[in-house]
Amino acid sequence: MASSRAVPMSPLRYLNKDAMRPLRSRPLCRPTTSKARASVSPYVYNFPTTIRRNASTAQDVATDSRSLVTRLKNLFLGTAIGASLILGYFYITDTRAGVHQWVVVPSIRWFYDDAEDAHEAGTKALKALYEFGLYPRERGSEDEADDLTVEVFGHTLRNPVGISAGIDKHAEIPTALLALGPSVVEVGGATPYPQDGNPKPRVFRLPSQRALINRYGLNSEGADSMAMRLRQRVREYAYAMGFGMDEAAEQRILDGEAGVPPGSLVDGKLMAVQVAKNKFTPDDDIEAIKKDYVYCVDALARYADIIVVNVSSPNTPGLRDLQRTEPLRNILTAVVEAAKRINRKTSPAVMVKVSPDEDSEEQVAGIVDAVWASGVDGVIVGNTTKRRHDLIPEGYTLPNKEAAALLEQGGYSGPQLFERTVSLVKRYRRLLDEGLDANSAKPSEVPKSSKPSQPKQSKAPASGTSTADKIEATVQRDRANLKPATPEAEAESKSQPLLRLPARNSPSSPATHSASDPPALSSSSHLDQLSSSDRDTPSSATPSSTSQSSPTPSPSPLSSLSTTPPQSAPSSLSTAKPKVIFCTGGITNGKQLLEVQQAGAQLGMIYTHLVYGGVGVISRMKEEMREEIRRQKRI
């Protein structure tokens, strides 16, 4: 008989019998027989997955405290990150931030060894930043003090700083450039047909001299492409201002209904568009060259405040030959006429950009003669130079790479051109002012009574009654014919229809009435009511003359007393306005801007300094101007 063997029992069975169950068998109910209980393995137990216990109040408070501290830390961290992003946004998008000069510009030059590739990368970056609202802009309200304002073409510009053509060759970022703080941005140049320009590489740096040499050759996408881009810009502005986005809205903006210049679309600023001829247009065919310029004007003048005629690029063969007096006069005359034909209420001003290398007395005088003969509004003095002498300081040795670049063909631009630019501005200012005096002297051939100066005192007639007394007599006569100011008369006058005053009431309008016409009740027509025998001046010198042979009658001696300026004047007087001068070439600081203004220029333009100094150079130059003005006042 087999003896029964005792099954060893684990002490764990006595710890918590109700909570522990074998894992191999999980019966729905507790085994009732001893045999069934013995079949369950006593060595494997089912431990509870969770152990419940009651936490104390102190532990709850500690946990809540830790949770509160964590939330406060997260709030502080989130606030710090948000504030850093906001402050970083205002810092990065401020042109005065040093990062633009000391980080951005060196980084671009380090990443792009080729200067043209760096230029294109900068243009694309600025365009993308503008689309997302992250573009650099001039912050602050210094320009609102009106301490640097200048009058140009009837506009009050905020400051005398401009950006030359070449920075934005295809009019991709004019608004972003205007946000940097200049008063004038010149885009282009544009040619009638697209052209690639000269082969690459065609731009070379001289960092030690902060200078550039380029031979782009007027690479352009064509006038039509630029016109489409500028048209889209105007329509987007019209849509943002609530005018719509169709052709009618565009026309309203161009006609000035938004209260901003139609080119820049910014109050107190102007946009210039530079135009040129195609490289393949024959140099000796002046008619074909004129068509090139006129084509560009027809396409682009609607969207420009200023049209700039480029005849001074050193990288287009034969272009500088157009600065001779006769071909230049023909081209400029055609451009001025085309600019006046555009479908807009106001025509853009026309300027010609001349070379610093054509600086002989004969050449400068010939250009000035062409400017006055064609009716151009101003001159941009300066461009890149083909000369290489007197550019490098004496005794300075260029690095090998820069020495090789200096020998490259193309136009040189840099600070070394400044003295030459100032000297040339002075000469143009002197000759243009002499031309102004000469053109203003032409009306001397006209009878003296036609001049808008103080009337010459004449002797009274034998009767002892002067013209003023006779005018007063007509006034008294009209006053006597008026009805008394009674309520009945006032009611009767209100019931009468309004009548248009006769045209002869304007002293500047030709007389179209006869002597039998009833006198008009207007003080400006009392002299007209006098007979020719009662006047102190000849009838031919008064606007009431019945002679129809003169299409532009001379104003009467009393026209200076009228508040309405004469509408018709001799043509020599209408063109004898001072010519505007912009200058470009070597300007690097505010003190130099003041120097070019003192030399006779209204505005100085920069190109190379912007390339080396970054987007903040304009803000710095204006601040330097203000400091120099304050220093001069203290002296």
Side-chain angles (χ1 to χ4, degrees):
M1 180 177 177
S3 61
S4 62
R5 183 180 175 187
V7 179
M9 301 297 292
S10 171
L12 295 176
R13 287 180 61 89
Y14 301 97
L15 294 178
N16 192 347
K17 294 181 180 180
D18 296 332
M20 300 180 185
R21 293 180 181 174
L23 293 178
R24 266 192 327 186
S25 175
R26 298 182 182 178
L28 296 177
C29 59
R30 188 177 181 85
T32 56
T33 62
S34 58
K35 185 177 181 180
R37 287 195 299 269
S39 65
V40 178
S41 174
Y43 300 102
V44 182
Y45 302 95
N46 180 22
F47 291 94
T49 58
T50 59
I51 300 177
R52 297 180 182 179
R53 62 184 181 86
N54 295 324
S56 64
T57 304
Q59 291 175 336
D60 291 340
V61 173
T63 302
D64 293 341
S65 300
R66 287 192 295 269
S67 177
L68 178 61
V69 171
T70 301
R71 287 197 295 268
L72 290 175
K73 287 182 178 179
N74 292 338
L75 178 61
F76 176 78
L77 182 61
T79 303
I81 293 175
S84 299
L85 291 176
I86 294 174
L87 293 176
Y89 165 78
F90 281 101
Y91 176 78
I92 293 296
T93 58
D94 194 331
T95 57
R96 296 169 295 182
V99 67
H100 298 300
Q101 179 181 7
W102 306 112
V103 177
V104 176
V105 173
S107 298
I108 293 178
R109 287 170 51 191
W110 186 79
F111 277 108
Y112 298 94
D113 186 63
D114 184 78
E116 184 175 359
D117 292 341
H119 184 184
E120 292 177 355
T123 300
K124 291 178 181 179
L126 192 56
K127 182 178 180 180
L129 290 173
Y130 180 79
E131 292 176 353
F132 289 101
L134 301 175
Y135 60 98
R137 68 208 74 180
E138 188 176 54
R139 299 192 183 277
S141 57
E142 287 81 0
D143 281 349
E144 295 179 2
D146 295 337
D147 54 345
L148 299 178
T149 56
V150 59
E151 294 290 331
V152 174
F153 304 131
H155 299 270
T156 301
L157 304 186
R158 298 178 183 177
N159 57 76
V161 188
I163 295 179
S164 293
I167 295 292
D168 187 12
K169 283 184 168 291
H170 310 303
E172 297 177 283
I173 50 173
T175 308
L177 291 179
L178 286 167
L180 301 182
S183 286
V184 176
V185 168
E186 182 184 1
V187 300
T191 56
Y193 294 97
Q195 63 182 26
D196 295 330
N198 295 321
K200 297 182 180 181
R202 51 193 179 185
V203 186
F204 309 92
R205 302 190 189 104
L206 282 78
S208 67
Q209 305 302 308
R210 299 181 70 84
L212 291 173
I213 294 175
N214 86 82
R215 53 168 180 263
Y216 277 111
L218 286 172
N219 55 310
S220 170
E221 295 179 356
D224 293 331
S225 175
M226 182 180 288
M228 291 176 59
R229 195 171 286 121
L230 294 177
R231 181 187 303 118
Q232 180 66 20
R233 175 174 174 266
V234 171
R235 294 195 176 188
E236 289 177 357
Y237 179 84
Y239 181 79
M241 298 299 293
F243 289 90
M245 206 171 180
D246 55 1
E247 185 176 355
E250 172 192 337
Q251 189 63 43
R252 293 177 65 185
I253 296 297
L254 297 178
D255 287 339
E257 293 189 26
V260 294
S264 68
L265 304 179
V266 181
D267 186 34
K269 301 188 177 185
L270 302 175
M271 186 181 74
V273 176
Q274 184 187 112
V275 297
K277 79 176 189 71
N278 275 117
K279 188 176 181 178
F280 52 78
T281 303
D283 300 332
D284 55 352
D285 190 346
I286 191 65
E287 292 300 322
I289 294 173
K290 286 167 55 177
K291 289 180 180 178
D292 273 12
Y293 285 100
V294 170
Y295 184 94
C296 293
V297 173
D298 291 340
L300 296 168
R302 278 169 51 85
Y303 311 105
D305 301 311
I306 305 170
I307 290 293
V308 179
V309 181
N310 185 359
V311 291
S312 59
S313 172
N315 304 308
T316 301
L319 188 64
R320 288 192 169 183
D321 294 338
L322 300 178
Q323 294 177 101
R324 297 194 306 271
T325 304
E326 189 62 24
L328 183 61
R329 181 184 62 80
N330 291 333
I331 293 171
L332 296 181
T333 300
V335 169
V336 170
E337 292 175 354
K340 292 179 179 178
R341 293 195 303 264
I342 65 169
N343 182 21
R344 207 175 75 184
K345 285 187 176 180
T346 58
S347 301
V350 178
M351 303 185 76
V352 56
K353 193 166 191 174
V354 298
S355 165
D357 296 338
E358 273 65 35
D359 56 355
S360 68
E361 285 297 327
E362 182 181 358
Q363 289 170 324
V364 174
I367 292 173
V368 169
D369 289 343
V371 167
W372 278 111
S374 62
V376 166
D377 300 290
V379 180
I380 298 182
V381 178
N383 205 326
T384 57
T385 178
K386 298 175 69 174
R387 299 174 182 175
R388 294 293 187 268
H389 61 276
D390 299 333
L391 295 177
I392 308 302
E394 186 177 354
Y396 183 84
T397 302
L398 288 173
N400 293 333
K401 186 175 181 180
E402 295 184 21
L406 187 63
L407 301 177
E408 292 286 349
Q409 194 176 30
Y412 181 97
S413 61
Q416 297 79 12
L417 301 182
F418 176 72
E419 296 298 332
R420 189 189 304 175
T421 300
V422 173
S423 175
L424 198 57
V425 167
K426 292 179 180 179
R427 295 168 60 190
Y428 270 99
R429 181 79 279 165
R430 175 177 56 83
L431 291 176
L432 286 172
D433 289 347
E434 290 176 1
L436 174 64
D437 296 337
N439 282 269
S440 300
K442 290 180 181 179
S444 61
E445 302 171 0
V446 185
K448 294 182 179 181
S449 60
S450 66
K451 292 185 178 181
S453 58
Q454 294 295 333
K456 183 178 179 180
Q457 298 293 334
S458 58
K459 295 181 180 180
S463 61
T465 305
S466 65
T467 301
D469 294 335
K470 295 177 181 178
I471 292 177
E472 181 64 24
T474 62
V475 173
Q476 296 298 332
R477 183 197 64 195
D478 291 338
R479 184 176 295 145
N481 292 333
L482 293 175
K483 294 182 179 180
T486 61
E488 294 78 7
E490 183 178 358
E492 183 181 355
S493 64
K494 289 183 178 180
S495 63
Q496 298 296 325
L498 296 178
L499 299 178
R500 184 183 297 274
L501 290 176
R504 68 178 183 274
N505 289 327
S506 173
S508 60
S509 302
T512 57
H513 62 287
S514 63
S516 60
D517 290 338
L521 302 181
S522 172
S523 61
S524 63
S525 64
H526 288 302
L527 183 64
D528 294 342
Q529 297 173 26
L530 300 178
S531 63
S532 60
S533 60
D534 293 335
R535 297 175 188 162
D536 295 340
T537 57
S539 60
S540 60
T542 63
S544 60
S545 173
T546 57
S547 174
Q548 302 295 324
S549 60
S550 176
T552 55
S554 303
S556 68
L558 296 179
S559 62
S560 60
L561 303 178
S562 176
T563 57
T564 304
Q567 299 298 320
S568 59
S571 60
S572 57
L573 281 178
S574 62
T575 58
K577 299 177 182 178
K579 301 300 182 182
V580 173
I581 293 181
F582 294 172
C583 83
T584 178
I587 302 174
T588 58
N589 56 60
K591 184 178 180 180
Q592 292 178 342
L593 278 171
L594 292 176
E595 288 186 40
V596 298
Q597 281 190 299
Q598 294 169 359
Q602 278 78 10
L603 188 137
M605 309 186 78
I606 62 173
Y607 172 81
T608 307
H609 187 45
L610 183 62
V611 172
Y612 279 97
V615 296
V617 298
I618 297 174
S619 299
R620 294 194 294 271
M621 292 174 72
K622 291 191 291 185
E623 184 59 32
E624 291 166 354
M625 290 185 69
R626 295 186 175 96
E627 291 179 359
E628 181 65 18
I629 292 174
R630 289 192 291 265
R631 187 189 68 81
Q632 293 179 1
K633 287 182 178 180
R634 288 194 298 266
I635 297 176

